[in-house]
Every structure is written in C-alpha cells, then in structure tokens.
C-alpha cells in the first residue's frame, strides 16, 4: 500500500478527518521535501480520503518536490500568508467540525493560531499516526542509516590520533564534528555530548571548557545525518590509564550492552530488551546508577519509536531501528555509556555502528 494510502487508512481508523504537520521529520517523510521551521508559515495537510495540500512561502516554492497529488499554495513576504491559507483550508474542506490530527510536540502556537483564525476548532494530538507510519524502515531507509553509521565510526577513527591531555571538551566535540562534516554528514542531529571525569556522570552533559586530565574517562555521544537519516553512537574513552574501578565499571556496561544486542529477536518486546541490559547492571550492584531507558528509535528523527524501556510491551518487528545504550553514572566520579544502532531482522540484531567497544586508551 502506498504511503499516502496507509496514512489515509490510519487517519480513518483513528477517527480523524485531517492531518496537518509543520516542517520536521514527519513533514519530510510525507512530502519528500526537507525544510525547516521558521518565522514563515509552512503547512502540509491531508484528508482521510488522501487529498493533500501544501502551503509554502514563495521564496521556497521552487524547492518543493513536484507531486501530482499535492495542490501547492504559496505567498510572498509582502502579501503574507492569510489569503493562501484560506485557499489551503478551502482545498482541504477544513471546517469547525473537522477533527484535525497534529503532532502535539511539533505544532507551535504560531501555526495553531493561524488555523484557529480560519475556524478550525479541533486540533487533536495524533503523534502516534506519523510514528506508526515511520516505525518500520524500508531497505532504502536502512541503507541511509547505515551510511550515517559509517560516518560516525570513521569520524572517531580519524579523530582519535588528535586527542591529547589538556584538550577541552569543546575541542573534542569540535574535532568530531569537523571529521563528520568532511565525511559527508549533513550537520549533527543533536548537540554533541562530551563529558570528562565527573562530568561523564551527567548523561546529557554538553561540552564545556573543562580540560581533560590524565586518567579520566570521557563519554562521547555524537551523531551524523545522511540523506536526512540520523546515526547516534556513544563510546567511552580513557585519556591515559584509567583506575581499576573505572575498568571494572566499563566492562559491566559493555557486557550489559552486548547481552541486549545478542538477545534481540523479532517478536520479543521492547521491555524485554531493556531487561536484558538492566539485569546485568543490577546483578553487578549498580542498578541505581543506570538512570535512563536502554534505547530509542532512530530514523529521520534521532528520537523516534520504539522506546526500549520497562513497560513498553510493543513487539519488535523486522525493520525497526533503535539504539542500545546502557550506562552507569557515578556522581562526582565518572560515567560510562556504550551505544550502538541496531536493525531488527528475522535473524536478530544487525548492528550498524561498528567501532570497537574495547576500552581505548588515548592521549599522551
């Protein structure tokens, strides 16, 4: 079934008459056109019968991929969007009775106010609709994800010889991002994380001017984007010889991560994958220091369905792509996280990110 047919079918099942999205991953997925949120009004809308329309600023209209089934309306900065929006609303037969699905974490008050001014009253959270469409990746999507994964692996290989004691966390982040750009990454899908020593115990600690000293573990969480698709990987390095405790914790995390990867099979639940990693860390006595889910989905967004966490009873299906990234974070001491991107196949997990998980000692 073609993408729009599937989308229309899901709309009907969920009880919506329309679906409207703003620029972002779902917008790109449905239109084939990548743009970004700005101060100018941009909307894609479709009805439950598959009829679709696109509202775009005139300066971007030439970049819209032609699609015979999309009616395109544009406007200039001078005229503003109101008249074109009225035509967009009329084309889709949007009324006060329409039940319009939206992405609740994406649609801004800016766009909502324009739609409300046109008499559209029922804007309803329908985040599950685009995520259900994007949950299973096709061969082309997986190929793009593999290319992004190859970039992050190659970037760390290229950057490793350049890492030295005394570098700041910002220096390390800049070197990784530079190497990814040279290898073809379309920017980064999220802000690079570099946490050294005690700052490694902050799972989402951004890089700072802190200088890295001998013996510290350094958590590197970074990503690349290829053809719109995101890779997300984490490796923990030792800048100089680490302590025995640091080595022991590292091996616990590595064992936990590998247990989850090895255990992935189609038909098991997301919660079961989480449990495979978590049980290793709990048995080692560090359960309270593993403070987040084991993984998240990947695709056009760096965080998609499915969440690999306790309580998620979603059965895994071939074509799902997600991260496996357990960690241990000891406040005031150090953190360890290891993350790979995997695809569910009929034979288990296909690992896309392949940089070694042996503890690398770098610097001089």
């Amino acid at each position: 079934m073609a993408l729009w047919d599937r989308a229309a079918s899901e709309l009907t099942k969920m009880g919506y008459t329309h679906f409207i999205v703003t620029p972002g991953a779902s917008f790109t997925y449905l239109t084939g056109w990548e743009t970004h949120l700005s101060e100018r009004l941009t909307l894609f809308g479709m009805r439950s019968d598959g009829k679709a329309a696109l509202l775009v600023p005139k300066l971007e209209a030439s970049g819209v991929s032609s699609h015979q089934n999309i009616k395109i309306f544009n406007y200039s900065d001078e005229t503003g969007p109101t008249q074109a929006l009225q035509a967009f609303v009329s084309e889709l037969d949007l009324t006060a009775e329409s039940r319009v699905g939206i992405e609740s974490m994406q649609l801004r008050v800016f766009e909502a106010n324009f739609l409300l001014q046109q008499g559209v009253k029922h804007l309803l959270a329908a985040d599950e609709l685009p995520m259900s469409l994007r949950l299973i990746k096709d061969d082309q999507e997986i190929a793009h994800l593999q290319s992004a994964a190859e970039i992050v692996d190659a970037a760390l290989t290229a950057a490793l010889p350049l890492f030295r004691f005394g570098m700041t966390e910002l220096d390390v982040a800049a070197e990784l991002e530079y190497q990814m750009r040279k290898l073809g990454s379309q920017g980064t899908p999220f802000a690079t994380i570099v946490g050294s020593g005690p700052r490694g115990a902050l799972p989402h600690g951004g890089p700072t001017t802190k200088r890295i000293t001998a013996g510290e573990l350094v958590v590197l969480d970074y990503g690349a984007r290829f053809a719109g698709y995101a890779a997300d990987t984490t490796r923990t390095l030792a800048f100089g010889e680490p302590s025995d405790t640091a080595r022991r914790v590292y091996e616990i995390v590595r064992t936990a991560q590998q247990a989850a990867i090895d255990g992935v099979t189609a038909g098991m639940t997301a919660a079961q994958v989480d449990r495979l990693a978590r049980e290793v860390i709990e048995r080692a006595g560090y359960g309270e220091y593993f403070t987040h889910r084991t993984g998240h989905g990947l695709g056009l967004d760096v965080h998609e369905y499915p969440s690999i966490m306790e309580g998620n009873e979603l059965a895994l299906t071939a074509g799902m792509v997600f991260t496996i990234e357990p960690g241990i974070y000891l406040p005031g001491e150090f953190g360890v996280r290891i993350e790979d991107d995997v695809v569910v196949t009929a034979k288990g997990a296909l690992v896309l990110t392949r940089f070694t998980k042996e503890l690398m000692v770098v610097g001089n």
Side-chain angles (χ1 to χ4, degrees), residues 95-114:
T95 69
E97 287 71 43
S98 299
R99 294 176 55 81
V100 182
I102 61 164
E103 292 181 296
S104 63
M105 292 189 289
Q106 182 77 7
L107 190 84
R108 301 174 297 185
V109 172
F110 173 71
E111 291 90 3
N113 280 341
F114 270 107

Side-chain angles (χ1 to χ4, degrees), residues 50-256:
K51 189 174 186 179
L54 189 61
L55 174 69
V56 298
K58 184 173 288 186
L59 85 165
E60 295 182 354
S62 61
V64 179
S65 300
S66 61
H67 194 301
Q68 61 181 0
N69 295 323
I70 301 181
K71 186 68 176 292
I72 299 172
F73 302 92
N74 60 64
Y75 62 92
S76 67
D77 288 345
E78 292 75 19
T79 61
T82 300
Q83 187 173 347
L85 177 60
Q86 289 170 347
F88 172 89
V89 167
S90 177
E91 175 70 14
L92 294 177
D93 298 318
L94 284 159
T95 69
E97 287 71 43
S98 299
R99 294 176 55 81
V100 182
I102 61 164
E103 292 181 296
S104 63
M105 292 189 289
Q106 182 77 7
L107 190 84
R108 301 174 297 185
V109 172
F110 173 71
E111 291 90 3
N113 280 341
F114 270 107
L115 291 167
L116 292 169
Q117 289 164 13
Q118 294 302 314
V120 179
K121 292 185 178 180
H122 304 294
L123 300 176
L124 309 169
D127 303 80
E128 70 277 14
L129 171 61
M131 283 301 188
S132 68
L133 295 173
R134 292 161 48 196
L135 184 61
I136 308 298
K137 272 58 179 182
D138 62 26
D139 290 345
Q140 184 63 70
E141 291 179 289
I142 292 171
H144 292 330
L145 288 161
Q146 179 67 77
S147 294
E150 289 169 0
I151 289 172
V152 295
D153 285 348
L156 185 51
T157 298
L160 272 179
L162 306 174
F163 292 162
R164 298 284 186 273
F165 304 148
M167 292 180 75
T168 68
E169 294 169 341
L170 283 166
D171 291 334
V172 171
E175 192 58 57
L176 276 171
E177 292 173 9
Y178 174 60
Q179 296 297 338
M180 288 190 292
R181 278 289 198 182
K182 288 205 300 180
L183 290 161
S185 179
Q186 302 165 312
T188 57
F190 60 93
T192 300
I193 293 169
V194 179
S196 61
R199 295 196 68 261
L202 304 172
H204 282 170
T208 69
T209 56
K210 176 189 175 302
R211 295 194 179 276
I212 301 170
T213 59
E216 289 187 320
L217 293 185
V218 180
V219 178
L220 309 177
D221 189 341
Y222 62 104
R225 191 179 290 283
F226 183 87
Y229 285 80
D232 178 7
T233 190
T234 305
R235 291 295 185 266
T236 300
L237 307 179
F239 273 59
E241 191 60 32
S243 68
D244 290 343
T245 299
R247 280 192 176 276
R248 183 172 66 253
V249 170
Y250 185 92
E251 286 305 313
I252 293 167
V253 173
R254 187 168 74 135
T255 300

